[in-house]
Short mmCIF file of all heavy atoms in Angstrom, two decimals:
data_model
loop_
_atom_site.label_atom_id
_atom_site.label_comp_id
_atom_site.label_asym_id
_atom_site.label_seq_id
_atom_site.Cartn_x
_atom_site.Cartn_y
_atom_site.Cartn_z
N LEU A 604 124.31 74.09 139.78
CA LEU A 604 125.17 74.46 138.66
C LEU A 604 126.57 73.90 138.88
O LEU A 604 127.05 73.83 140.01
CB LEU A 604 125.25 75.97 138.52
CG LEU A 604 123.92 76.73 138.39
CD1 LEU A 604 124.19 78.21 138.18
CD2 LEU A 604 123.07 76.16 137.27
N SER A 605 127.20 73.51 137.79
CA SER A 605 128.57 73.01 137.83
C SER A 605 129.43 73.82 136.88
O SER A 605 128.96 74.26 135.82
CB SER A 605 128.63 71.54 137.43
OG SER A 605 127.86 70.73 138.30
N CYS A 606 130.67 73.99 137.23
CA CYS A 606 131.64 74.67 136.38
C CYS A 606 132.91 73.84 136.39
O CYS A 606 133.65 73.84 137.39
CB CYS A 606 131.90 76.08 136.89
SG CYS A 606 133.22 76.96 136.02
N ALA A 607 133.13 73.11 135.32
CA ALA A 607 134.29 72.23 135.23
C ALA A 607 135.42 72.95 134.51
O ALA A 607 135.22 73.44 133.38
CB ALA A 607 133.92 70.95 134.49
N ALA A 608 136.57 73.01 135.15
CA ALA A 608 137.70 73.75 134.61
C ALA A 608 138.75 72.81 134.02
O ALA A 608 138.93 71.69 134.50
CB ALA A 608 138.34 74.61 135.70
N SER A 609 139.43 73.31 133.01
CA SER A 609 140.51 72.52 132.39
C SER A 609 141.84 72.76 133.08
O SER A 609 142.88 72.28 132.61
CB SER A 609 140.62 72.86 130.90
OG SER A 609 140.95 74.23 130.72
N ILE A 610 141.82 73.50 134.19
CA ILE A 610 143.02 73.75 134.97
C ILE A 610 142.75 73.34 136.42
O ILE A 610 141.58 73.18 136.82
CB ILE A 610 143.45 75.23 134.95
CG1 ILE A 610 142.30 76.12 135.46
CG2 ILE A 610 143.90 75.64 133.56
CD1 ILE A 610 142.69 77.57 135.66
N SER A 611 143.79 73.21 137.18
CA SER A 611 143.63 72.92 138.60
C SER A 611 143.06 74.13 139.32
O SER A 611 143.52 75.25 139.13
CB SER A 611 144.98 72.55 139.22
OG SER A 611 144.85 72.44 140.62
N ILE A 612 142.02 73.90 140.14
CA ILE A 612 141.42 75.02 140.84
C ILE A 612 141.90 75.13 142.27
O ILE A 612 141.54 76.07 142.98
CB ILE A 612 139.87 74.90 140.84
CG1 ILE A 612 139.42 73.69 141.67
CG2 ILE A 612 139.33 74.83 139.42
CD1 ILE A 612 137.90 73.67 141.90
N SER A 613 142.73 74.19 142.70
CA SER A 613 143.07 74.13 144.12
C SER A 613 143.87 75.34 144.60
O SER A 613 143.77 75.71 145.77
CB SER A 613 143.86 72.85 144.41
OG SER A 613 145.07 72.83 143.67
N GLU A 614 144.63 75.96 143.73
CA GLU A 614 145.48 77.08 144.15
C GLU A 614 144.97 78.43 143.65
O GLU A 614 145.64 79.44 143.83
CB GLU A 614 146.92 76.87 143.69
CG GLU A 614 147.58 75.66 144.32
CD GLU A 614 147.65 75.78 145.84
OE1 GLU A 614 147.94 76.88 146.34
OE2 GLU A 614 147.39 74.76 146.52
N LEU A 615 143.81 78.42 143.04
CA LEU A 615 143.28 79.69 142.56
C LEU A 615 142.90 80.59 143.72
O LEU A 615 142.50 80.11 144.79
CB LEU A 615 142.07 79.45 141.66
CG LEU A 615 142.36 78.78 140.32
CD1 LEU A 615 141.07 78.56 139.56
CD2 LEU A 615 143.33 79.60 139.49
N TYR A 616 142.99 81.87 143.52
CA TYR A 616 142.70 82.83 144.59
C TYR A 616 141.22 82.85 144.95
O TYR A 616 140.85 82.89 146.11
CB TYR A 616 143.14 84.23 144.18
CG TYR A 616 142.73 85.28 145.18
CD1 TYR A 616 143.35 85.38 146.42
CD2 TYR A 616 141.70 86.17 144.90
CE1 TYR A 616 142.97 86.32 147.35
CE2 TYR A 616 141.30 87.12 145.82
CZ TYR A 616 141.94 87.19 147.04
OH TYR A 616 141.55 88.12 147.96
N ALA A 617 140.36 82.82 143.92
CA ALA A 617 138.93 82.94 144.20
C ALA A 617 138.12 82.20 143.15
O ALA A 617 138.49 82.15 141.98
CB ALA A 617 138.50 84.41 144.23
N LEU A 618 137.03 81.65 143.61
CA LEU A 618 136.04 81.00 142.75
C LEU A 618 134.74 81.76 142.97
O LEU A 618 134.33 81.93 144.12
CB LEU A 618 135.87 79.53 143.14
CG LEU A 618 137.15 78.73 143.38
CD1 LEU A 618 136.81 77.34 143.91
CD2 LEU A 618 137.98 78.64 142.12
N ARG A 619 134.13 82.19 141.89
CA ARG A 619 132.93 83.02 142.05
C ARG A 619 131.84 82.60 141.06
O ARG A 619 132.11 82.06 140.01
CB ARG A 619 133.26 84.50 141.80
CG ARG A 619 134.30 85.08 142.75
CD ARG A 619 134.45 86.57 142.51
NE ARG A 619 135.39 87.18 143.44
CZ ARG A 619 136.66 87.43 143.15
NH1 ARG A 619 137.16 87.08 141.98
NH2 ARG A 619 137.46 88.00 144.05
N TRP A 620 130.61 82.88 141.45
CA TRP A 620 129.46 82.79 140.56
C TRP A 620 128.83 84.19 140.48
O TRP A 620 128.60 84.83 141.50
CB TRP A 620 128.43 81.80 141.07
CG TRP A 620 128.82 80.37 140.91
CD1 TRP A 620 129.42 79.56 141.83
CD2 TRP A 620 128.63 79.56 139.74
NE1 TRP A 620 129.61 78.31 141.33
CE2 TRP A 620 129.13 78.27 140.03
CE3 TRP A 620 128.08 79.79 138.49
CZ2 TRP A 620 129.11 77.22 139.12
CZ3 TRP A 620 128.05 78.75 137.57
CH2 TRP A 620 128.56 77.47 137.88
N HIS A 621 128.56 84.61 139.26
CA HIS A 621 127.87 85.85 138.98
C HIS A 621 126.59 85.52 138.24
O HIS A 621 126.44 84.42 137.70
CB HIS A 621 128.72 86.77 138.11
CG HIS A 621 130.06 87.12 138.66
ND1 HIS A 621 130.39 88.38 139.09
CD2 HIS A 621 131.17 86.36 138.85
CE1 HIS A 621 131.65 88.39 139.52
NE2 HIS A 621 132.14 87.16 139.37
N ARG A 622 125.70 86.48 138.18
CA ARG A 622 124.52 86.30 137.33
C ARG A 622 124.15 87.61 136.68
O ARG A 622 124.45 88.69 137.20
CB ARG A 622 123.35 85.73 138.13
CG ARG A 622 122.74 86.68 139.16
CD ARG A 622 121.66 85.95 139.95
NE ARG A 622 121.02 86.81 140.93
CZ ARG A 622 120.17 86.38 141.86
NH1 ARG A 622 119.87 85.09 141.94
NH2 ARG A 622 119.63 87.23 142.71
N GLN A 623 123.47 87.47 135.56
CA GLN A 623 123.01 88.65 134.82
C GLN A 623 121.60 88.42 134.35
O GLN A 623 121.35 87.53 133.53
CB GLN A 623 123.94 88.96 133.65
CG GLN A 623 123.61 90.26 132.94
CD GLN A 623 124.71 90.69 131.99
OE1 GLN A 623 125.55 89.90 131.58
NE2 GLN A 623 124.72 91.97 131.66
N ALA A 624 120.70 89.22 134.89
CA ALA A 624 119.30 89.17 134.47
C ALA A 624 119.13 90.07 133.27
O ALA A 624 119.92 91.00 133.05
CB ALA A 624 118.41 89.61 135.62
N PRO A 625 118.09 89.85 132.47
CA PRO A 625 117.87 90.67 131.27
C PRO A 625 117.79 92.15 131.61
O PRO A 625 117.05 92.56 132.52
CB PRO A 625 116.53 90.15 130.74
CG PRO A 625 116.45 88.75 131.25
CD PRO A 625 117.11 88.76 132.59
N GLY A 626 118.58 92.95 130.91
CA GLY A 626 118.54 94.38 131.09
C GLY A 626 119.22 94.89 132.34
O GLY A 626 119.13 96.07 132.67
N LYS A 627 119.90 94.01 133.04
CA LYS A 627 120.57 94.40 134.28
C LYS A 627 122.05 94.07 134.21
O LYS A 627 122.48 93.22 133.42
CB LYS A 627 119.92 93.68 135.47
CG LYS A 627 118.47 94.07 135.70
CD LYS A 627 117.94 93.48 136.99
CE LYS A 627 116.52 93.94 137.25
NZ LYS A 627 115.98 93.38 138.53
N PRO A 628 122.86 94.72 135.04
CA PRO A 628 124.29 94.42 135.03
C PRO A 628 124.59 93.07 135.67
O PRO A 628 123.77 92.52 136.43
CB PRO A 628 124.90 95.55 135.87
CG PRO A 628 123.80 96.02 136.74
CD PRO A 628 122.52 95.83 135.97
N ARG A 629 125.74 92.53 135.36
CA ARG A 629 126.19 91.29 135.97
C ARG A 629 126.55 91.56 137.43
O ARG A 629 127.25 92.54 137.72
CB ARG A 629 127.40 90.73 135.22
CG ARG A 629 127.78 89.33 135.60
CD ARG A 629 128.89 88.80 134.71
NE ARG A 629 128.47 88.74 133.31
CZ ARG A 629 129.22 88.18 132.35
NH1 ARG A 629 130.40 87.66 132.65
NH2 ARG A 629 128.79 88.17 131.11
N VAL A 630 126.09 90.71 138.31
CA VAL A 630 126.35 90.90 139.74
C VAL A 630 126.93 89.64 140.36
O VAL A 630 126.65 88.53 139.92
CB VAL A 630 125.07 91.32 140.50
CG1 VAL A 630 124.57 92.66 140.01
CG2 VAL A 630 123.98 90.27 140.37
N LEU A 631 127.71 89.84 141.40
CA LEU A 631 128.29 88.73 142.13
C LEU A 631 127.25 88.06 143.01
O LEU A 631 126.52 88.75 143.73
CB LEU A 631 129.45 89.23 142.98
CG LEU A 631 130.17 88.20 143.84
CD1 LEU A 631 130.84 87.14 142.97
CD2 LEU A 631 131.19 88.88 144.74
N VAL A 632 127.20 86.75 142.96
CA VAL A 632 126.22 85.99 143.73
C VAL A 632 126.89 85.27 144.90
O VAL A 632 126.40 85.30 146.03
CB VAL A 632 125.51 84.96 142.83
CG1 VAL A 632 124.62 84.04 143.65
CG2 VAL A 632 124.70 85.66 141.76
N ALA A 633 128.01 84.62 144.60
CA ALA A 633 128.68 83.84 145.64
C ALA A 633 130.16 83.76 145.35
O ALA A 633 130.56 83.77 144.17
CB ALA A 633 128.09 82.43 145.72
N ALA A 634 130.96 83.66 146.40
CA ALA A 634 132.40 83.58 146.23
C ALA A 634 133.00 82.65 147.26
O ALA A 634 132.51 82.55 148.39
CB ALA A 634 133.03 84.97 146.35
N MET A 635 134.06 81.98 146.84
CA MET A 635 134.83 81.14 147.75
C MET A 635 136.30 81.49 147.54
O MET A 635 136.80 81.39 146.41
CB MET A 635 134.59 79.66 147.50
CG MET A 635 135.47 78.74 148.33
SD MET A 635 135.13 76.99 148.04
CE MET A 635 133.64 76.80 149.03
N LEU A 636 136.95 81.92 148.59
CA LEU A 636 138.35 82.29 148.49
C LEU A 636 139.24 81.11 148.88
O LEU A 636 138.77 80.13 149.46
CB LEU A 636 138.64 83.48 149.40
CG LEU A 636 137.84 84.76 149.12
CD1 LEU A 636 138.26 85.87 150.06
CD2 LEU A 636 137.99 85.19 147.68
N ARG A 637 140.53 81.24 148.55
CA ARG A 637 141.50 80.23 148.97
C ARG A 637 141.41 80.10 150.48
O ARG A 637 141.42 81.10 151.19
CB ARG A 637 142.90 80.64 148.55
CG ARG A 637 143.93 79.53 148.65
CD ARG A 637 145.31 80.08 148.33
NE ARG A 637 145.36 80.64 147.00
CZ ARG A 637 146.34 81.46 146.57
NH1 ARG A 637 147.31 81.81 147.39
NH2 ARG A 637 146.34 81.92 145.34
#
């Protein structure tokens, strides 16, 4: 998966991927901090 941002991501505090399965809450899958 790719997520292309229209802003600079180099100084952002955190980059995360979440997922939501049908009928379930959104959950954190992976994170990358500064």
